[in-house]
Structures are given as structure tokens and as C-alpha cells.
Coordinates of all heavy atoms in Angstrom, one line a residue:
T213 N 94.8 119.6 216.0 CA 93.6 120.4 216.2 C 92.5 119.6 216.9 O 92.2 118.4 216.4 CB 93.1 121.0 214.9 OG1 94.1 121.9 214.4 CG2 91.8 121.8 215.1
P214 N 91.8 120.0 217.9 CA 90.8 119.3 218.6 C 89.7 119.0 217.5 O 89.3 119.8 216.7 CB 90.2 120.3 219.7 CG 91.4 121.1 219.9 CD 92.1 121.3 218.7
Q215 N 89.2 117.7 217.6 CA 88.2 117.2 216.6 C 86.9 116.8 217.1 O 85.9 116.6 216.3 CB 88.9 115.9 216.0 CG 90.2 116.1 215.3 CD 90.1 116.9 214.0 OE1 89.2 116.8 213.3 NE2 91.1 117.8 213.8
L216 N 86.7 116.8 218.5 CA 85.5 116.2 219.0 C 84.3 117.2 219.1 O 84.5 118.4 219.3 CB 85.8 115.6 220.4 CG 86.8 114.5 220.5 CD1 86.9 114.0 221.9 CD2 86.4 113.3 219.6
S217 N 83.1 116.7 219.0 CA 81.9 117.4 219.2 C 81.8 117.6 220.7 O 82.5 117.0 221.5 CB 80.7 116.6 218.7 OG 80.5 115.4 219.5
P218 N 80.8 118.6 221.1 CA 80.6 118.7 222.6 C 80.3 117.4 223.2 O 80.7 117.1 224.4 CB 79.4 119.7 222.6 CG 79.6 120.5 221.3 CD 80.1 119.5 220.3
G219 N 79.5 116.5 222.5 CA 79.2 115.2 223.1 C 80.4 114.3 223.3 O 80.6 113.6 224.3
G220 N 81.3 114.5 222.3 CA 82.6 113.7 222.4 C 83.4 114.2 223.5 O 84.0 113.3 224.3
V221 N 83.6 115.5 223.7 CA 84.4 116.1 224.8 C 83.9 115.6 226.1 O 84.6 115.3 227.0 CB 84.4 117.6 224.7 CG1 85.1 118.2 225.9 CG2 85.1 118.1 223.4
A222 N 82.5 115.7 226.2 CA 81.9 115.3 227.6 C 82.2 113.9 227.9 O 82.5 113.4 229.0 CB 80.4 115.6 227.5
A223 N 82.0 113.0 226.9 CA 82.2 111.5 227.1 C 83.7 111.3 227.4 O 83.9 110.5 228.4 CB 81.8 110.8 225.8
L224 N 84.6 111.9 226.7 CA 86.0 111.6 226.9 C 86.4 112.0 228.4 O 87.1 111.2 229.1 CB 86.9 112.3 225.9 CG 88.4 112.3 226.1 CD1 89.0 110.9 226.0 CD2 89.1 113.2 225.0
N225 N 86.1 113.2 228.7 CA 86.4 113.7 230.1 C 85.7 113.0 231.2 O 86.3 112.8 232.3 CB 86.2 115.2 230.1 CG 87.2 116.0 229.3 OD1 88.3 116.3 229.8 ND2 87.0 116.3 228.1
M226 N 84.5 112.5 230.9 CA 83.9 111.7 231.9 C 84.7 110.4 232.1 O 84.8 109.9 233.3 CB 82.4 111.4 231.6 CG 81.6 110.6 232.6 SD 81.7 108.8 232.4 CE 80.9 108.6 230.8
I227 N 85.0 109.7 231.1 CA 85.8 108.5 231.1 C 87.1 108.6 231.9 O 87.5 107.7 232.6 CB 86.0 107.9 229.7 CG1 84.7 107.5 229.1 CG2 87.1 106.8 229.6 CD1 84.7 107.2 227.6
L228 N 87.7 109.8 231.7 CA 89.0 110.1 232.3 C 88.9 110.3 233.8 O 89.9 110.5 234.5 CB 89.7 111.2 231.6 CG 90.3 110.8 230.3 CD1 90.7 112.1 229.5 CD2 91.4 109.9 230.4
T229 N 87.7 110.4 234.4 CA 87.6 110.6 235.8 C 88.0 109.3 236.6 O 88.3 109.4 237.8 CB 86.2 111.0 236.2 OG1 85.2 110.0 235.8 CG2 85.8 112.3 235.5
D230 N 87.9 108.2 235.9 CA 88.4 106.9 236.6 C 89.9 106.8 236.6 O 90.6 107.1 235.6 CB 87.8 105.7 235.7 CG 88.3 104.4 236.3 OD1 87.8 104.0 237.3 OD2 89.2 103.8 235.7
E231 N 90.4 106.6 237.8 CA 91.8 106.6 238.1 C 92.6 105.7 237.2 O 93.6 106.0 236.5 CB 92.1 106.3 239.5 CG 93.6 106.7 239.9 CD 93.9 108.1 239.9 OE1 93.0 108.9 240.1 OE2 95.1 108.4 239.7
T232 N 92.2 104.4 237.1 CA 92.9 103.4 236.3 C 92.9 103.8 234.8 O 93.9 103.7 234.1 CB 92.4 102.0 236.5 OG1 92.5 101.7 237.9 CG2 93.1 101.0 235.7
T233 N 91.7 104.2 234.3 CA 91.6 104.6 233.0 C 92.4 105.8 232.6 O 93.2 105.8 231.6 CB 90.1 104.9 232.6 OG1 89.3 103.7 233.0 CG2 90.0 105.3 231.2
N234 N 92.5 106.8 233.5 CA 93.3 107.9 233.3 C 94.8 107.6 233.3 O 95.5 108.1 232.5 CB 93.0 109.0 234.4 CG 93.8 110.3 234.1 OD1 93.5 110.9 233.1 ND2 94.6 110.7 235.0
N235 N 95.2 106.6 234.1 CA 96.6 106.1 234.1 C 97.0 105.5 232.8 O 98.0 105.8 232.2 CB 96.8 105.1 235.2 CG 96.9 105.7 236.6 OD1 97.2 106.9 236.8 ND2 96.7 104.9 237.6
A236 N 96.0 104.8 232.2 CA 96.2 104.1 231.0 C 96.2 105.1 229.8 O 96.7 104.7 228.7 CB 95.1 103.0 230.8
M237 N 95.6 106.3 230.0 CA 95.4 107.2 228.9 C 96.3 108.5 229.1 O 96.0 109.6 228.8 CB 94.0 107.6 228.8 CG 93.1 106.4 228.3 SD 91.3 106.6 228.4 CE 91.1 108.0 227.2
G238 N 97.5 108.3 229.7 CA 98.4 109.4 229.8 C 98.7 109.9 231.2 O 99.6 110.6 231.4
G239 N 97.8 109.6 232.1 CA 97.9 110.0 233.4 C 98.0 111.5 233.6 O 98.7 112.0 234.6
T240 N 97.3 112.2 232.8 CA 97.4 113.7 232.9 C 96.5 114.2 234.0 O 95.6 113.5 234.5 CB 96.9 114.3 231.5 OG1 95.6 113.8 231.2 CG2 97.9 114.0 230.5
A241 N 96.7 115.5 234.4 CA 96.0 116.1 235.5 C 94.5 116.1 235.2 O 94.1 116.5 234.1 CB 96.4 117.4 235.8
K242 N 93.6 115.7 236.1 CA 92.2 115.5 235.8 C 91.5 116.9 235.7 O 90.4 117.0 235.1 CB 91.6 114.7 236.9 CG 92.0 113.2 236.9 CD 91.2 112.5 237.9 CE 91.7 111.0 238.0 NZ 91.0 110.2 239.0
H243 N 92.1 118.0 236.2 CA 91.4 119.3 236.2 C 91.5 119.9 234.8 O 90.9 120.8 234.5 CB 91.9 120.2 237.2 CG 93.4 120.6 237.1 ND1 94.4 119.8 237.6 CD2 93.9 121.6 236.4 CE1 95.6 120.5 237.3 NE2 95.3 121.5 236.5
I244 N 92.4 119.3 234.0 CA 92.6 119.9 232.6 C 91.6 119.2 231.7 O 91.5 118.0 231.6 CB 94.1 119.7 232.1 CG1 95.1 120.3 233.0 CG2 94.2 120.2 230.7 CD1 96.5 119.9 232.7
E245 N 90.9 120.0 230.8 CA 90.0 119.5 229.9 C 90.8 118.8 228.8 O 91.9 119.2 228.4 CB 89.1 120.5 229.2 CG 88.1 119.9 228.2 CD 87.1 120.9 227.7 OE1 86.1 121.2 228.5 OE2 87.3 121.4 226.6
K246 N 90.3 117.6 228.3 CA 91.0 116.9 227.2 C 90.1 116.9 225.9 O 88.9 117.0 226.0 CB 91.3 115.5 227.6 CG 91.8 115.2 229.0 CD 93.1 115.9 229.3 CE 93.6 115.5 230.7 NZ 92.7 115.6 231.8
N247 N 90.8 116.8 224.8 CA 90.1 116.6 223.5 C 90.9 115.6 222.8 O 91.8 114.9 223.4 CB 90.0 118.0 222.8 CG 88.8 118.0 221.8 OD1 88.7 117.2 220.9 ND2 87.9 119.0 222.0
W248 N 90.6 115.4 221.5 CA 91.3 114.4 220.7 C 91.6 115.0 219.4 O 90.8 115.7 218.8 CB 90.5 113.1 220.5 CG 91.3 111.9 220.1 CD1 91.6 111.6 218.8 CD2 91.9 110.9 220.9 NE1 92.4 110.5 218.7 CE2 92.6 110.0 220.0 CE3 91.9 110.7 222.3 CZ2 93.3 109.0 220.5 CZ3 92.6 109.7 222.8 CH2 93.3 108.8 221.9
G249 N 92.9 114.9 218.9 CA 93.3 115.3 217.6 C 93.1 114.2 216.6 O 92.1 113.5 216.7
L250 N 94.0 114.1 215.7 CA 93.9 113.0 214.7 C 94.9 111.9 215.0 O 95.0 111.0 214.2 CB 94.1 113.6 213.3 CG 93.0 114.5 212.8 CD1 93.4 115.2 211.4 CD2 91.7 113.8 212.6
G251 N 95.6 111.9 216.1 CA 96.5 110.9 216.5 C 96.7 110.7 217.9 O 97.5 109.8 218.3
G252 N 95.9 111.4 218.8 CA 96.1 111.1 220.2 C 95.3 112.1 221.0 O 94.6 113.0 220.5
L253 N 95.4 112.0 222.3 CA 94.7 112.8 223.3 C 95.4 114.2 223.3 O 96.6 114.2 223.3 CB 94.8 112.2 224.7 CG 94.0 112.8 225.9 CD1 92.6 112.3 225.7 CD2 94.6 112.3 227.2
L254 N 94.6 115.3 223.4 CA 95.1 116.6 223.4 C 94.8 117.3 224.7 O 93.7 117.3 225.2 CB 94.5 117.4 222.3 CG 95.0 117.1 220.9 CD1 94.2 118.0 219.9 CD2 96.5 117.3 220.6

């Protein structure tokens, strides 16, 4: 279940706009919004 506040969602997705960082964090499609569960990126 997504755990982040709106501020957390905004920060996470902003960080994932960087290509190298996104590669290191699963390499998922950038147009999809991400959240965080209790064990990983959602």
C-alpha cells in the first residue's frame, strides 16, 4: 500500500526524473507515477 505524503510523492518522482537515478531505482517508465510501500518502490 502506498505510504507517502503528497510531499513525499512529489520528492520521489522529482528525483526519478534523473536518468541515472531512475536506472538505479528500477528503470521504470518515467511517465508512471511512483510511490513507496513498506518494502520498495510502487
